[in-house]
Amino acid sequence: MAPRLEFSNFWAKDTTKGTPVVVTMENPNFSVVEIDGPDAAFRPVDKSRGKNAKQVTWVLLLKAHRAVSCISWLATIFWALLGTIKKRLIYREGVAMESGKLGKQKLLFTVIRVFLVTSLAILAFEVVAYFKGWHYFRNPSLHIPGTSDIQSLLHMVYVAWLTFRADYIAPAIQALSKFCVVLFLIQSIDRMILSFGCLWIKFKKIKPRIDWDSLKSDDVEKFGYEYPMVLIQIPMCNEKEVYEQSISAVCQIDWPKERLLIQVLDDSDDESIQWLIKTEVANWSQRGINIIYRHRVVRTGYKAGNLKSAMSCDYVKDYEFVAIFDADFQPNPDFLKQTVPHFKDNPELGLVQARWAFVNKDENLLTRLQNVNLCFHFEVEQQVNGVFLNFFGFNGTAGVWRIKALEESGGWLERTTVEDMDIAVRAHLNGWKFIYLNDVKVLCEVPESYEAYRKQQHRWHSGPMQLFRLCLPAIITSKITAWKKANLILLFFLLRKLILPFYSFTLFCIILPLTMFVPEAELPAWVICYVPVFMSFLNILPSPKSFPFIVPYLLFENTMSVTKFNAMVSGLFQLGSSYEWVITKKTGRSSESDLLAAAERESKMVNQLQVHRGASESELTELNRIMEQKEVAPKPIKKANKIYRKELALAFLLLTASLRSLLSAQGVHFYFLLFQGVTFLLVGLDLIGEQMS
């Protein structure tokens, strides 16, 4: 570090003594630099000094090379996109149209297609008017020429269109856009309040705690109370990829074996998968684990029917709590010791919910975007509602229920596809409280393909609307406080389940492109850009590593609004496939520690036939056949990509609107519509997910 100037001056005044000595050297091989002051030697050297023309040329060439590389990279991506469009959209190579029922399901696609055709016709008309010099759309006051200024028949038609647009179309779009903007702001305020609530929880370090001192006792009489009887249920259906790791993880939970029972509830209709699951259950049973296998012949009621059938067993009355894990969930060995103690000395507690963690969150772009949404859901929504309201929607898995709370709330019902939210609402109406543990995480998977994610989101958004129709009378007539009723109806159902997909689809996918053709109803830039970006910023806060994906996240959420809006309408009015249950496709991915544990178990595993030594000869033959099929697995067949018509139609609608925005020189609108249209195009061609890893 350079010496301070004041200290150097002071030292020079006090220590300068003696006679100066001049030293000369012959043939010096160094240069002499004149120093004017004590800090002169430490001043930065001008880097540009001494550069010759050759060095400048090389610097310019390097910068030009970088620019050309960037342009060529963009050109390559654009050319690949055009090639994919040609291959999938024109020649239909290796693609299949999206599966869906005819009839009412096509209504939304028909409406979007009508808007698209109308926008193309208006765009062509506007382009002709632009080259004719009729730039009336650039005038904010929309000056419409009089009769004396009419130049031709086409000009007269164009003026008539301007008059009709200003008098009839613009007021309707303005009214709808204002309504959607108000809903958008209300939902944004709700997100901000939740975010501030999460910050307050972190600042005050508020979280449910266990009184470990009261649990530590050597008294034998209290042993049964400290380790209550716990039932674990693993519902599954044709879960060939994940059944083994889920059963293995649950069987390794640290809890007294005599006070734990594991039910494997298999609804598989494939006999080979049934035998594989039976074999896995038998293996763990031979190791001393209290585990049983249950299979329903008639699969009614989907997951709710499966759980309801299991709870009807006579031995269930001996158990106090039940933990539920879906087939792809892998709890840690200390899961029960982290959750069950919260029920002690808390008789009003009905549910303890743990957080999900994802083994494949970095698999591709789609999984990263899902991770943003789910992190906000667990970190903010579930945690804030759990701390301040003692109520939230049960996530269907990774939770522990008090069996008494399930029974008093009516048990599992088969009336909707969201049986987890159904039982949570009914338990809340009966006065039971919930606890959410953000620190207790259970590993699971998120869908890696757009098709699987789309079907999952359809079920998650159509089911709540079904439930809202069925539960509304019970909520109104319940004995809970008016504040809790308002929270259930206005916030839990209407704002977060109905209004969110409605305004997102209507505002950004319909109104915004229409306003490009009706400038009188133009949306302000803060609605299109600033507020959505700020809301996306809040959503990404719980997962800070996802900040580079803030723009793709915003665009993709608007794209998913089509599926969510369609599901919301079908569930609210019971249209189309509102009661259709599609099992989310799993890949069976595990964490590194799980893979090491699995390899160790395989090395110690006994012969499969010895486990079934008491079986009949036909069963042994069937088991041998199944094991041979498992060892020699066929090569996976590459799945054909889907073509999603609604997303493609909206892509062309938004791209058409972006071209129209060029005529009126609207920069923010143009870029937003362009990028949003490209996102719809990528999703419509099934280019997001497994193919974009």
Side-chain angles (χ1 to χ4, degrees):
M1 185 177 71
R4 292 179 57 186
L5 182 58
E6 297 83 357
F7 177 77
S8 300
N9 294 335
F10 171 78
W11 183 264
K13 290 179 180 179
D14 295 342
T15 61
T16 304
K17 297 180 180 180
T19 304
V21 179
V22 179
V23 180
T24 58
M25 299 182 64
E26 297 182 357
N27 300 324
N29 56 356
F30 57 88
S31 60
V32 179
V33 180
E34 181 181 357
I35 301 178
D36 297 331
D39 286 343
F42 304 98
R43 292 175 184 171
V45 181
D46 188 4
K47 295 182 179 180
S48 62
R49 186 177 62 186
K51 286 186 178 178
N52 53 31
K54 188 176 181 179
Q55 291 176 325
V56 174
T57 303
W58 275 110
V59 171
L60 294 177
L61 286 175
L62 288 174
K63 292 183 178 180
H65 180 265
R66 291 179 182 176
V68 172
S69 300
C70 182
I71 294 174
S72 62
W73 178 73
L74 294 175
T76 302
I77 294 179
F78 181 71
W79 187 257
L81 179 60
L82 291 180
T84 305
I85 293 174
K86 178 181 177 181
K87 178 181 177 181
R88 297 188 181 181
L89 198 58
I90 300 177
Y91 295 111
R92 302 291 178 89
E93 296 179 6
V95 299
M97 298 303 294
E98 61 174 306
S99 58
K101 298 180 180 179
L102 299 177
K104 295 180 179 179
Q105 283 284 354
K106 297 179 62 178
L107 178 61
L108 182 59
F109 174 67
T110 303
V111 172
I112 297 174
R113 189 167 53 181
V114 169
F115 278 124
L116 174 60
V117 174
T118 305
S119 64
L120 288 173
I122 297 176
L123 177 62
F125 203 20
E126 294 282 6
V127 170
V128 173
Y130 178 82
F131 286 106
K132 289 283 187 179
W134 308 329
H135 300 167
Y136 307 122
F137 48 79
R138 285 192 176 182
N139 190 347
S141 60
L142 192 63
H143 170 70
I144 299 178
T147 308
S148 59
D149 299 328
I150 298 299
Q151 302 175 6
S152 62
L153 178 61
L154 182 62
H155 192 196
M156 182 177 65
V157 173
Y158 182 65
V159 171
W161 155 247
L162 292 180
T163 306
F164 178 78
R165 187 183 75 187
D167 294 341
Y168 300 100
I169 299 180
I173 295 180
Q174 285 176 338
L176 182 59
S177 63
K178 290 179 180 179
F179 177 68
C180 290
V181 168
V182 171
L183 296 180
F184 175 45
L185 294 177
I186 293 175
Q187 197 270 339
S188 300
I189 294 173
D190 176 61
R191 286 293 174 102
M192 291 180 61
I193 293 175
L194 289 174
S195 300
F196 286 133
C198 182
L199 292 176
W200 178 260
I201 291 173
K202 289 185 176 297
F203 177 73
K204 291 292 186 178
K205 298 181 180 180
I206 303 173
K207 65 177 182 179
R209 302 183 185 276
I210 301 174
D211 186 7
W212 292 107
D213 294 334
S214 63
L215 296 176
K216 295 178 181 178
S217 175
D218 297 330
D219 192 353
V220 180
E221 296 179 356
K222 292 185 178 181
F223 178 81
Y225 186 79
E226 292 177 12
Y227 291 96
M229 300 287 286
V230 178
L231 176 68
I232 298 181
Q233 296 176 333
I234 313 175
M236 58 180 64
C237 179
N238 297 324
E239 309 278 3
K240 183 178 180 180
E241 296 81 8
V242 295
Y243 77 92
E244 190 173 1
Q245 63 190 29
S246 176
I247 294 175
S248 173
V250 170
C251 288
Q252 297 180 66
I253 288 181
D254 185 14
W255 201 258
K257 296 180 180 180
E258 65 276 5
R259 311 197 69 79
L260 180 68
L261 175 63
I262 301 172
Q263 287 182 320
V264 179
L265 311 177
D266 183 24
D267 264 2
S268 303
D269 53 10
D270 189 333
E271 292 185 1
S272 63
I273 299 178
Q274 295 177 24
W275 272 98
L276 291 175
I277 298 175
K278 285 180 181 178
T279 303
E280 184 69 16
V281 171
N283 289 338
W284 287 103
S285 180
Q286 289 291 323
R287 300 180 192 183
I289 302 299
N290 193 12
I291 182 172
I292 60 175
Y293 173 86
R294 282 181 54 87
H295 176 72
R296 293 193 306 163
V297 179
V298 180
R299 185 187 169 215
T300 58
Y302 304 111
K303 181 181 176 181
N306 198 0
L307 295 173
K308 181 179 180 180
S309 174
M311 294 298 293
S312 64
C313 298
D314 294 335
Y315 53 79
V316 173
K317 64 179 182 294
D318 298 329
Y319 292 84
E320 187 176 356
F321 304 104
V322 55
I324 302 173
F325 299 101
D326 283 349
D328 60 316
F329 278 71
Q330 307 166 48
N332 292 326
D334 62 346
F335 176 82
L336 291 181
K337 290 187 175 180
Q338 293 289 335
T339 54
V340 174
H342 288 278
F343 289 96
K344 187 177 185 299
D345 299 329
N346 196 354
E348 295 181 348
L349 182 61
L351 167 67
V352 175
Q353 173 71 60
R355 179 174 177 169
W356 298 0
F358 311 106
V359 296
N360 60 338
K361 62 181 179 180
D362 297 323
E363 185 64 25
N364 55 44
L365 178 61
L366 179 61
T367 58
R368 290 186 176 97
L369 299 180
Q370 292 180 71
N371 181 61
V372 174
N373 259 341
L374 292 171
C375 283
F376 183 86
H377 171 70
F378 286 106
E379 184 86 14
V380 180
E381 292 180 344
Q382 297 289 80
Q383 187 171 210
V384 171
N385 289 326
V387 169
F388 294 105
L389 301 176
N390 293 122
F391 167 72
F392 47 82
F394 175 46
N395 295 118
T397 178
V400 182
W401 276 94
R402 190 189 296 270
I403 294 181
K404 181 180 179 181
L406 290 176
E407 294 174 347
E408 291 185 357
S409 303
W412 299 105
L413 299 181
E414 308 168 8
R415 56 183 182 174
T416 69
T417 57
V418 284
E419 74 293 328
D420 46 7
M421 185 181 295
D422 189 358
I423 187 63
V425 171
R426 286 185 282 118
H428 180 59
L429 296 180
N430 279 274
W432 292 99
K433 295 181 179 180
F434 303 163
I435 283 180
Y436 172 74
L437 304 178
N438 193 56
D439 297 334
V440 181
K441 300 180 181 180
V442 181
L443 290 176
C444 63
E445 291 185 20
V446 289
E448 295 182 9
S449 67
Y450 177 71
E451 180 185 8
Y453 179 62
R454 187 170 180 264
K455 291 179 179 179
Q456 181 197 68
Q457 292 299 305
H458 187 278
R459 177 167 57 87
W460 285 4
H461 286 81
S462 64
M465 290 298 97
Q466 289 179 314
L467 182 61
F468 178 64
R469 295 175 64 257
L470 297 171
C471 284
L472 183 59
I475 295 174
I476 296 175
T477 58
S478 64
K479 297 181 180 179
I480 60 176
T481 62
W483 155 245
K484 292 183 177 180
K485 292 181 181 180
N487 174 67
L488 269 177
I489 297 175
L490 300 179
L491 296 180
F492 186 76
F493 279 113
L494 289 182
L495 183 60
R496 297 166 189 166
K497 302 297 188 297
L498 188 147
I499 291 178
L500 177 58
F502 170 77
Y503 87 76
S504 181
F505 170 74
T506 307
L507 187 62
F508 295 106
C509 300
I510 298 297
I511 294 179
L512 178 59
L514 287 182
T515 56
M516 295 297 99
F517 303 97
V518 186
E520 300 86 350
E522 179 183 343
L523 292 173
W526 61 268
V527 174
I528 301 171
C529 180
Y530 305 133
V531 176
V533 169
F534 179 70
M535 290 296 105
S536 300
F537 176 79
L538 290 181
N539 288 351
I540 288 183
L541 279 178
S543 54
K545 293 183 179 180
S546 302
F547 271 105
F549 305 100
I550 184 170
V551 174
Y553 169 75
L554 172 61
L555 298 174
F556 183 70
E557 279 301 293
N558 290 336
T559 305
M560 284 305 300
S561 65
V562 183
T563 299
K564 296 176 181 179
F565 175 81
N566 189 33
M568 181 268 294
V569 173
S570 63
L572 189 61
F573 299 101
Q574 293 185 329
L575 305 177
S577 56
S578 58
Y579 196 70
E580 181 181 1
W581 181 292
V582 180
I583 302 296
T584 304
K585 181 182 176 181
K586 314 291 194 314
T587 59
R589 300 190 185 276
S590 301
S591 61
E592 185 176 354
S593 58
D594 295 326
L595 294 175
L596 294 175
E600 184 179 356
R601 290 195 306 271
E602 288 294 334
S603 63
K604 298 180 180 179
M605 186 174 292
V606 296
N607 194 326
Q608 300 291 337
L609 295 177
Q610 294 179 357
V611 175
H612 293 269
R613 55 184 178 271
S616 64
E617 183 178 355
S618 60
E619 290 176 334
L620 291 176
T621 304
E622 180 67 17
L623 179 61
N624 284 329
R625 184 180 66 83
I626 298 302
M627 296 306 297
E628 290 176 358
Q629 292 179 358
K630 183 178 179 181
E631 293 176 358
V632 186
K635 293 182 179 180
I637 301 175
K638 185 177 180 180
K639 190 176 181 180
N641 295 90
K642 295 282 187 178
I643 293 294
Y644 301 100
R645 296 176 297 177
K646 290 190 287 291
E647 284 80 359
L648 281 179
L650 277 170
F652 293 127
L653 174 62
L654 292 166
L655 292 176
T656 303
S658 67
L659 294 177
R660 171 59 182 81
S661 65
L662 286 177
L663 299 179
S664 52
Q666 296 170 308
V668 175
H669 297 72
F670 167 73
Y671 287 113
F672 181 84
L673 290 168
L674 177 64
F675 291 133
Q676 189 66 72
V678 171
T679 306
F680 267 104
L681 185 62
L682 294 174
V683 171
L685 294 175
D686 200 8
L687 287 174
I688 188 170
E690 294 177 352
Q691 291 78 11
M692 293 186 64
S693 58

